[in-house]
Amino acid sequence: HIVYSCPKITMYLDVVQVRDPAKAKVYIVADARLPALPGAVPKQKKGGKAADKNSRGKKGAAAVAADDPAPAANGPATADNTAAGGFEVLAKFQGAQLVGARYTPLFPYFASHPNAFRVVSDTYVTDDSGTGVVHQAPAFGEDDYRVGLGAGVISKGEGLPCPVDLNGRFTQEVTDFAGRYVKDADRDIIAAIKAADRLVDHASLNHSYPFCWRSDTPLIYRAVPSWFVKVEAIKERLLANNELTYWVPTYVKEKRFHNWLEGAHDWAISRSRFWGTPIPIWVSDDAEEVHVIGSIDELEQVAGRKINDLHRHFIDDITIPSNQGKGVLRRVDDVFDCWFESGSMPYGQLHYPFENKALFEANFPADFVAEGLDQTRGWFYTLMVLSSALFDKPAFKNLVCNGLVLAADGKKMSKRLKNYPDPTEVINKYGADALRLYLINSPVVRAETLRFKEEGVFSVVKDVFLPWYNAYRFLVQYVRHWEVKTGETFNPGLSAEAAEIALGGSSNQLKQDQSAGVAVLDRWISAAVRSLTAFVRSEMEGYRLYTVVPRLVSFIDQLTNIYVRYNRRRLRGGKGHGDCLAALTTLFHVLLTVTKVMAPFTPFICEAMYQNLRNALLVATQQQQHGSTTTAAEVPESVHWCEMPEVQQEREGDARIQASVGRMQAVIEAGRAIREKNNKPLKQPLRKVTVVHPDPDFLADITGELSEYVVGELNVMQLETCSDMLQWAELKAEPEWQMLGKKLGKDMGKVAGAIRGLSVSDILGYQQSGSITLAGYTLTAGEIKVVRVFRPPASVSAGEVDAAGDGEVLVVLDLVQQDDLVVQGQAR
């Protein structure tokens, strides 16, 4: 009440003017808040006549009416209140009618201030508490300051009248309470208002209040003089420069950061502290003359001495003679906000513009920066503001925004609560690589929160590192076995391409072993690693870490569970010396490539593997130098010195072989599921498996080069194929909800019913043409899911066969046990 102010009200708020007949006082208050004034609306007495005698002592309407205020207390004020002993309603109108009205302040200390003590309006005033009329104190609240500026009560950049000094005590303008701590003066202020006969009500309210975390004393929200960067003047440049950047994920840029820039205000860059970088501004006593120091050299010139330390206690004594006859200029007391320094990082790290000018200009803006989501209002913002102000360009080209890592219970990690595992113990237990991969493969890299769980780190070790290391260990063991058996030194060649050429043109024995060409799984894994390299480079160039790790994990699973598992006989030399060398060489270069691709994600385990794989590369180098006049390329000493594998052009047949092996694995997994479901152990041979699929290329592959793997893994005597799905299954159509939801909106239900009602001929027509029109919508490939439901032919008895599939491939297994099969199973 002591500060100079203006009452604020919402323009469309219903307001009443009432008279207290007992005190002959007139009040203006929000209509809905009239009951808050003591005596304004009488309360019905408990046990009044309104209660029904038949309901006494029972819960019901009468009991509620007796305990609650009268209905008038919750509804609009009426003139009938006077008859009941309440206040008299003199007028009812909207708050807009009060705007501009002047009034006599409670205290006269700032009564002469122009434009003060008049009614203004703003939308943040509500009628759910208080009286609906709020006093504004521009020096003590963000909304108060904003409303004061908007109403012309105060002006930006000019002095802000404030009755409280930096010690929390009233200033000399407040003559009755000058020098007193504001909290200690509360009772006397209330007494002064009461003595002036202007006290309406006096009560204590419990509410949250900020306290100093060091001294545990109450804080005061008070405006202080500051130095600002005029952000509002360059707002359009900030928005334009933001459009020049690429963010992952994009919604942080387009929503959160864009909205922050749109609402940006001038940035206060000064802080009233001792430690920090001193603001290099010297001013006269009247602050009219300002001198900004631009370098250490300039400061040394005006100081007349060498400056070795820029902290304030080494330079605050320096004065600069005035050029306007105002004595001397002294440095302002403030230091820089540390965020100003963080935003200056691109320039400060190179001591620009005093040094490294060419280096800076050749590398600015930065290729990418990465920080947490909370930095959209911190570092990302200060980088953008300073670079736009200085160079009219962003400070970075690309930005990776991370989410926050929380404790397992979803709370912020706290040293006091100890609600997280010790990072050192996690690293010692599972390794730094496991922790890195767990975080990279989490929602954190999509700017979402992660509830950190130690078992997640263990899963990385179990599901990624152990299978990967087992494939590496398998290679090492069988290379040594091959060297002992042949008496030769393993030479994989310096590259996979060189190894292929060498293997294809060596001894007659090798040519005989490789007469049918490169083994099918060698071609497949080589195609898969080329595809992996292209994918990783593409996604890394797009800074999408969250897509890379799942693909790497999937590849390692294929490497261990398909290539190594199905090739054990070859890797042991079961198909001949040359074929064994081809398999080992292929596995070597696949692991070498994976090691290089994974090195940025898991640097330590990759380095350990590379150091051993490098020994074979050194052998290849020595043999190449021995047999050639040219000097072989040096083998990098570390995997981190190697170039990221280049994207190789896709070879003819790569797509087909990858699709066929993927479907083959689906066939094997479906066959295993059928055996398990029907309690048919894998050691017991079965007569026949039938693979049903419409793609003739796949059926040719599955009965050709891939047949031995299907037959061997499922332990069946015969493999058959069928391209007519209708012989073994019924076709049904289901909507792809995720793809159609946004497209169809409220019509989704109608279209979904039409999809489910499609006939077999309609489904086949959709599969062939790739589109169909239903309920006025044209649905394209991928928007309808075709489901194959197993239906055995009439000639097959129930229990003789069973089927399973993944929605694309259907696998039918003959379950009939005949004597010859039983004997073979027993013999095995």
Side-chain angles (χ1 to χ4, degrees):
H1 295 291
I2 288 181
V3 300
Y4 80 101
S5 60
C6 288
K8 181 169 78 316
I9 195 167
T10 298
M11 294 183 67
Y12 302 107
L13 199 66
D14 290 329
V15 178
V16 291
Q17 183 182 28
V18 296
R19 178 179 177 275
D20 181 358
K23 299 181 179 179
K25 295 283 187 180
V26 176
Y27 304 103
I28 295 177
V29 65
D31 187 11
R33 300 305 303 164
L34 183 59
L37 294 181
V41 178
K43 294 183 179 180
Q44 186 173 350
K45 295 181 180 180
K46 291 185 179 181
K49 295 181 180 180
D52 191 316
K53 65 180 180 179
N54 295 325
S55 62
R56 290 177 182 172
K58 299 179 181 179
K59 293 182 179 180
V64 172
D67 291 335
D68 289 349
N74 294 323
T78 64
D80 295 338
N81 292 343
T82 304
F87 288 3
E88 177 185 358
V89 177
L90 303 178
K92 184 175 182 179
F93 46 89
Q94 287 195 322
Q97 293 181 293
L98 290 174
V99 175
R102 304 193 69 86
Y103 73 102
T104 302
L106 288 173
F107 293 95
Y109 308 127
F110 295 92
S112 61
H113 191 280
N115 297 325
F117 306 112
R118 57 186 173 87
V119 179
V120 298
S121 67
D122 194 75
T123 56
Y124 89 83
V125 181
T126 61
D127 61 1
D128 57 358
S129 63
T131 63
V133 182
V134 182
H135 273 274
Q136 297 297 279
F140 298 95
E142 184 177 357
D143 282 322
D144 300 47
Y145 182 82
R146 174 180 56 81
V147 172
L149 278 178
V153 179
I154 57 174
S155 299
K156 183 181 292 188
E158 297 183 0
L160 184 64
C162 180
V164 179
D165 63 21
L166 293 176
N167 293 316
R169 300 178 182 276
F170 286 116
T171 61
Q172 295 303 314
E173 291 96 333
V174 186
T175 54
D176 296 315
F177 308 101
R180 296 189 61 183
Y181 178 56
V182 292
K183 295 294 181 182
D184 295 340
D186 282 349
R187 293 182 179 274
D188 292 335
I189 293 173
I190 295 171
I193 297 173
K194 185 175 182 180
D197 197 23
R198 304 188 71 177
L199 183 66
V200 179
D201 188 27
H202 172 214
S204 296
L205 300 176
N206 290 325
H207 61 94
S208 61
Y209 193 88
F211 280 73
C212 175
W213 65 275
R214 286 191 178 96
S215 63
D216 201 32
T217 54
L219 298 174
I220 298 173
Y221 195 100
R222 177 188 181 277
V224 295
S226 300
W227 292 87
F228 288 82
V229 173
K230 296 178 68 173
V231 174
E232 294 174 17
I234 61 171
K235 186 182 297 184
E236 295 304 318
R237 291 162 59 189
L238 292 175
L239 292 169
N241 287 332
N242 185 43
E243 293 301 314
L244 301 177
T245 61
Y246 172 76
W247 291 47
V248 176
T250 56
Y251 75 85
V252 180
K253 165 192 167 181
E254 295 169 354
K255 301 292 184 181
R256 188 182 182 106
F257 195 64
H258 176 84
N259 295 341
W260 180 250
L261 293 180
E262 273 195 327
H265 298 293
D266 291 344
W267 172 22
I269 60 170
S270 59
R271 296 292 182 268
S272 298
R273 297 170 184 160
F274 182 82
W275 294 111
T277 301
I279 294 180
I281 298 177
W282 271 252
V283 299
S284 59
D285 292 340
D286 60 3
E288 292 295 327
E289 185 178 355
V290 178
H291 187 116
V292 180
I293 298 294
S295 67
I296 297 177
D297 288 342
E298 183 182 353
L299 181 60
E300 289 178 342
Q301 290 176 12
V302 299
R305 69 172 190 256
K306 183 70 175 177
I307 303 296
N308 296 315
D309 195 318
L310 291 178
H311 284 100
R312 59 180 300 174
H313 51 296
F314 292 102
I315 66 171
D316 276 359
D317 63 317
I318 298 174
T319 58
I320 301 175
S322 172
N323 292 325
Q324 301 176 11
K326 296 185 177 183
V328 295
L329 310 184
R330 292 180 174 82
R331 197 192 72 82
V332 297
D333 289 334
D334 304 288
V335 298
F336 273 118
D337 172 15
C338 63
W339 286 110
F340 186 91
E341 296 175 279
S342 72
S344 305
M345 176 277 297
Y347 331 109
Q349 68 176 350
L350 294 176
H351 199 210
Y352 178 84
F354 308 106
E355 295 181 85
N356 305 305
K357 192 172 187 293
L359 177 63
F360 168 78
E361 293 174 354
N363 293 279
F364 184 82
D367 286 328
F368 83 99
V369 297
E371 249 292 357
L373 182 63
D374 53 330
Q375 297 305 317
T376 50
R377 299 182 180 185
W379 189 44
F380 302 154
Y381 176 70
T382 60
L383 283 173
M384 183 67 74
V385 168
L386 293 181
S387 65
S388 296
L390 293 170
F391 303 102
D392 196 20
K393 62 173 66 174
F396 49 84
K397 301 173 186 176
N398 304 282
L399 185 148
V400 177
C401 188
N402 303 320
L404 302 179
V405 181
L406 306 177
D409 58 3
K411 296 179 181 178
K412 185 177 179 181
M413 289 186 175
S414 169
K415 293 181 181 178
R416 180 177 59 84
L417 297 177
K418 296 182 179 179
N419 57 349
Y420 60 91
D422 187 333
T424 303
E425 293 181 4
V426 172
I427 292 174
N428 290 338
K429 191 173 182 180
Y430 304 106
D433 284 344
L435 179 59
R436 285 167 61 94
L437 207 61
Y438 170 68
L439 294 174
I440 292 173
N441 194 32
S442 75
V444 161
V445 293
R446 299 192 300 272
E448 301 171 11
T449 57
L450 166 68
R451 295 189 177 192
F452 185 90
K453 296 181 179 179
E454 187 175 340
E455 50 267 33
V457 184
F458 171 71
S459 295
V460 171
V461 176
K462 177 172 64 72
D463 300 333
V464 181
F465 289 167
L466 288 181
W468 182 13
Y469 186 79
N470 283 336
Y472 161 78
R473 183 173 57 86
F474 198 90
L475 170 70
V476 173
Q477 288 178 345
Y478 281 96
V479 164
R480 290 176 177 173
H481 177 268
W482 183 88
E483 290 181 334
V484 170
K485 186 176 180 180
T486 63
E488 300 178 14
T489 302
F490 177 66
N491 176 10
L494 293 177
S495 67
E497 292 75 14
E500 287 180 9
I501 295 174
L503 290 171
S506 57
S507 64
N508 292 331
Q509 176 65 40
L510 180 58
K511 291 180 180 179
Q512 182 179 349
D513 290 339
Q514 296 291 97
S515 59
V518 180
V520 60
L521 288 187
D522 289 354
R523 299 202 315 272
W524 164 74
I525 197 64
S526 298
V529 81
R530 286 192 290 270
S531 176
L532 172 71
T533 302
F535 176 83
V536 171
R537 287 192 71 104
S538 173
E539 294 303 289
M540 289 292 284
E541 287 171 1
Y543 296 90
R544 293 180 290 270
L545 297 176
Y546 51 87
T547 63
V548 171
V549 175
R551 180 69 176 265
L552 290 169
V553 171
S554 174
F555 178 83
I556 290 173
D557 177 71
Q558 293 175 340
L559 175 65
T560 55
N561 290 324
I562 297 180
Y563 187 81
V564 174
R565 176 185 172 92
Y566 299 167
N567 267 338
R568 283 181 177 174
R569 184 185 171 198
R570 294 181 62 216
L571 293 167
R572 291 167 179 163
K575 290 189 176 183
H577 168 83
D579 185 71
C580 176
L581 180 59
L584 290 173
T585 301
T586 300
L587 181 57
F588 174 90
H589 285 289
V590 166
L591 285 172
L592 180 64
T593 302
V594 172
T595 299
K596 293 178 181 178
V597 171
M598 286 285 283
F601 302 93
T602 54
F604 298 107
I605 189 173
C606 288
E607 182 68 15
M609 290 182 181
Y610 176 81
Q611 289 302 320
N612 198 19
L613 297 176
R614 180 175 178 269
N615 293 328
L617 295 178
L618 292 174
V619 171
T621 302
Q622 293 169 359
Q623 293 190 7
Q624 180 178 338
Q625 290 177 339
H626 180 72
S628 173
T629 58
T630 61
T631 302
E634 292 187 4
V635 180
E637 294 184 10
S638 169
V639 69
H640 304 296
W641 294 0
C642 297
E643 294 289 340
M644 187 76 170
E646 294 290 340
V647 176
Q648 298 181 22
Q649 184 176 0
E650 186 176 295
R651 301 185 184 182
E652 184 180 355
D654 275 6
R656 173 175 172 176
I657 192 61
Q658 289 185 80
S660 292
V661 172
R663 291 168 179 168
M664 177 198 75
Q665 186 64 8
V667 168
I668 293 172
E669 291 176 355
R672 291 170 180 165
I674 296 172
R675 278 184 170 275
E676 184 176 355
K677 175 183 175 183
N678 292 275
N679 196 25
K680 300 292 183 181
L682 192 59
K683 66 181 181 180
Q684 179 62 52
L686 296 176
R687 180 68 61 192
K688 180 176 64 176
V689 61
T690 303
V691 178
V692 187
H693 196 276
D695 184 359
D697 288 338
F698 167 60
L699 296 183
D701 291 340
I702 203 75
T703 55
E705 297 176 299
L706 299 176
S707 61
E708 65 171 297
Y709 303 111
V710 177
V711 171
E713 288 297 316
L714 293 182
N715 193 13
V716 294
M717 308 299 295
Q718 185 179 355
L719 169 63
E720 293 184 356
T721 60
C722 176
S723 60
D724 185 4
M725 187 67 68
L726 296 180
Q727 288 188 19
W728 292 95
E730 296 176 347
L731 299 184
K732 293 185 177 181
E734 292 288 341
E736 286 286 4
W737 297 98
Q738 188 171 5
M739 296 188 66
L740 291 176
K742 293 182 179 180
K743 177 178 180 178
L744 301 179
K746 62 181 180 180
D747 292 334
M748 183 67 199
K750 177 175 63 175
V751 177
I755 292 174
R756 294 192 181 99
L758 290 175
S759 64
V760 173
S761 60
D762 292 333
I763 296 173
L764 293 175
Y766 164 74
Q767 287 183 313
Q768 185 174 3
S769 66
S771 66
I772 191 172
T773 301
L774 296 174
Y777 289 93
T778 299
L779 307 183
T780 57
E783 294 179 337
I784 296 178
K785 181 180 181 180
V786 178
V787 181
R788 298 165 176 84
V789 181
F790 174 59
R791 177 184 53 78
S795 59
V796 179
S797 302
E800 292 183 355
V801 296
D802 198 0
D806 61 355
E808 182 185 5
V809 180
L810 184 67
V811 179
V812 182
L813 203 58
D814 185 348
L815 301 176
V816 176
Q817 287 288 299
Q818 297 175 340
D819 292 343
D820 61 327
L821 298 177
V822 174
V823 171
Q824 289 185 38
Q826 291 173 343
R828 182 174 178 179

